[in-house]
Amino acid sequence: MRGRAAAAPERDPGLQPERTRLAWRRTTLSGTVAAVLAIRSVLHGGVTTAGVLLCALCCTCWLTFLLLAHHRIRTLSSTGKPAALQLRHATATVLCTVALAGCAAALVW
């Protein structure tokens, strides 16, 4: 047995990929609520040019985040061992989240 190389143990991810998929879905739901509240705020408080532009930016950020999250959820679902989140996708996700929060705060303020 000394001469044989030990076989690497098979990776058992357990429920980690499922928890990650659920976290992406919860975050997407939170972004959806923020976008809907932004639209409601613009329509309820009177339509202004600045409000419409902020609402459009908010919706654009939400759609971009939705596409990125859907891509990640598909990646996690399709393979046994998912690849790490690419830096450009992570950066775009963070930027969309921060911009969405900033637009929503500006609309409420």
Side-chain angles (χ1 to χ4, degrees):
M1 291 270 174
R2 290 176 102 173
R4 271 188 218 177
E10 184 84 18
R11 180 181 177 268
D12 180 19
L15 293 176
Q16 188 271 329
E18 181 66 22
R19 288 191 307 265
T20 304
R21 280 191 298 275
L22 290 172
W24 277 100
R25 290 184 194 273
R26 282 191 307 269
T27 306
T28 303
L29 180 61
S30 299
T32 302
V33 169
V36 167
L37 290 175
I39 293 169
R40 182 181 177 270
S41 174
V42 167
L43 295 176
H44 182 63
V47 179
T48 63
T49 304
V52 170
L53 289 175
L54 280 172
C55 186
L57 181 61
C58 189
C59 289
T60 302
C61 291
W62 172 71
L63 284 173
T64 304
F65 181 83
L66 187 66
L67 290 172
L68 290 167
H70 184 67
H71 178 267
R72 186 62 184 161
I73 289 169
R74 277 187 299 148
T75 301
L76 289 170
S77 298
S78 66
T79 60
K81 183 178 179 184
L85 183 62
Q86 294 178 0
L87 181 61
R88 64 187 172 119
H89 286 148
T91 304
T93 302
V94 169
L95 289 175
C96 286
T97 304
V98 170
L100 183 62
C103 289
L107 285 170
V108 172
W109 206 317

